[in-house]
Amino acid sequence: MTENSLPQSSPTWWRGAAIYQIYPRSFADSNGDGIGDLPGITARLPHVASLGVDAIWLSPFFKSPMRDFGYDVSDYCDVDPIFGTLADFDALVKRAHDLNLRVIIDQVWAHTSDAHRWFVESRASRDNPLADWYVWADPKADGSPPNNWQSVFGGPAWTWDARRGQYYMHQFLAQQPQLHLHNPQVQQAVFDIIRFWLDRGVDGFRIDAINHAMHDPLLRDNPPAPDDGRTRTRPFDFQIRKYNQSHPDIPLFLEKVRQVFDGYPDRFTVAEVGGDDSDGEMKAFTAGDHRLNTAYGFDFLYAPDLTPELIKDALVKWPDDSGTGWPSWAFENHDAPRAVSRWAKGNDADAFCRMKMLLLACLRGNIFLYQGEELGLPQVDIAFEDLQDPEAIANWPLTLSRDGARTPMPWAAAAPYLGFSNAKPWLPVGETHRALAVDVQEQASASLLHWTRRVLALRNGSPALRIGSIAFLNAPEPLLAFTRTAGEERLLCVFNLGEAARAWRPTDAADCTPLLSAGDVAAWHFPAASALVARG
């Protein structure tokens, strides 16, 4: 087992933390099979530590048939051989802790793989010990599915199984059967999994799709969703998901999860929450000190434009008061298109990325950086024949492939496959990433990589940015202006999110001392995609 030996441990280390997401398949390949692995990650951890982040979040590396690339788990307590072994994981944790990085891992409790031994036994009969560990239901009289629920990836959320003569529920792929998390035995099995990883020194969990984890036991039909004018590419989009997700018992289950975590000092929980009422659910999941520490939604991940309204609307929902939880924010992740490709528009991409990185670091809450975001990587256009994403393949060409944000990390511009591997990778490398490779940016002191280090150093050294309150100021669009305050420290943060220069002088400008600026900001004149952080 690996002990949690981080120095200066604090139960609130996570408040204001910067967390770096690693997608293991695409980070670094150590054994030449074209797929990233745990030893590859371990070897590259010094790069991550050099950024100034507090923790890494590893997307799933558990044993899996990889129908949904690890989010279909067949063994929660083992490493899939393509990624390595449990010994490799222990070595990763030790190396991370030696570098003062905490380790957060993904947990998927809404469903398992159909290859999981629990499901194999559950589907064998209606009276075996695990018969009620998944969501099973009889067909209607005409043999059709029990209700009208639809899966996220397209088609009914039910698949027929002749072994039991029943349908089983799945909110995503048919190979991802829904766990019956209302069942106390299933909950206990989840708690055992939590303890397994915390005992190995894991510092926290990112909980995937938690609002999908419980269903309405009465199996009532979902009502139709009103047409809001958006393109509907899946049957899932035609329903209000009233009964197949967001069950009111989920927060009560999370209280039990927290009780397990409370037996381990200094550990951390963050939920991923999507859907039409994500804000309300995030607050419910993080209420008080007896549920999760924080949650993040999709406020920015699929937004087509970066605007002052977008930022304000998201952050004002999380006031700095005792009754509201602590938020987390991400501009990019493994499921969403790269932010620079969505938002830069007519701006210079490098200038935009500098402004965007400084903006992220100035937000109140935890911040997540996705691998390659420190390099300014754009989205890669993946040809249909190279697609791996099951949702994109099923809905081609109307669903944007997630693969374009999952391409191999570019470590060395002149190396085969950009230094990710010495064999053909599982996804094509992005040729547009060659000039942005780590080795190129390391050699250029003015690169975005070095800028990211400066930005995170500013955040880490500032209580106002790390944990302070936020107050928005009246500034002409497309300028975004706010203050961050903690104790005696007050910082003014101004960002030009537009494509044209703007001038604006705050009323207390004479008292401001510039600390860091992106772009050629001078005399309160803000070029396109520029920013300023000043004290005072």
Side-chain angles (χ1 to χ4, degrees), residues 475 479-482 492-496 504 506 524 526 530-533:
L479 296 185
L480 171 71
F482 54 83
L492 171 67
C493 308
V494 185
F495 305 86
N496 185 352
W504 177 69
W524 302 103
F526 296 88
S530 65
L532 172 69
V533 176

Side-chain angles (χ1 to χ4, degrees), residues 140-156:
K140 292 181 178 178
D142 62 0
S144 60
N147 59 29
N148 70 348
W149 297 350
Q150 299 293 314
S151 71
V152 176
F153 289 167

Side-chain angles (χ1 to χ4, degrees), residues 372-491:
E373 194 169 357
E374 76 275 23
L375 306 175
L377 299 185
Q379 185 83 352
V380 176
D381 187 18
I382 304 293
F384 178 77
E385 56 270 21
D386 292 324
L387 285 179
Q388 303 292 326
D389 178 8
E391 182 182 11
I393 293 170
N395 296 313
W396 177 266
L398 294 179
T399 296
L400 179 67
S401 169
R402 296 175 295 177
D403 292 336
R406 298 177 175 182
T407 55
M409 181 78 171
W411 295 102
Y417 308 113
L418 303 187
F420 164 75
S421 176
N422 57 17
K424 183 179 179 180
W426 74 286
L427 279 175
V429 298
E431 282 303 315
T432 56
H433 294 178
R434 189 174 299 278
L436 301 173
V438 172
D439 66 341
V440 173
Q441 297 204 32
E442 283 286 9
Q443 298 302 313
S445 60
S447 69
L448 181 66
L449 173 57
H450 287 287
W451 170 256
T452 300
R453 291 170 178 149
R454 291 179 63 192
V455 166
L456 291 179
L458 175 68
R459 180 179 171 93
N460 291 337
S462 167
L465 292 181
R466 184 94 178 189
I467 60 171
S469 61
I470 188 169
F472 290 96
L473 306 178
N474 289 324
E477 292 192 3
L479 296 185
L480 171 71
F482 54 83
T483 59
R484 299 293 312 278
T485 305
E488 297 298 316
E489 184 184 32
R490 179 182 182 272
L491 300 183

Side-chain angles (χ1 to χ4, degrees), residues 207-229:
I207 305 170
D208 182 72
I210 188 59
N211 56 345
H212 289 267
M214 287 180 169
H215 70 294
D216 171 34
L218 299 179
L219 304 182
R220 287 170 283 190
D221 281 349
N222 280 331
D227 187 353
D228 60 4

Side-chain angles (χ1 to χ4, degrees), residues 109 113 127 153 252 261 296 303 315 354 365 391 400 402 443:
W109 299 332
S113 164
D127 57 2
F153 289 167
L252 304 180
F261 268 82
Y296 79 93
L315 271 77
R354 292 169 190 272
E391 182 182 11
L400 179 67
R402 296 175 295 177
Q443 298 302 313

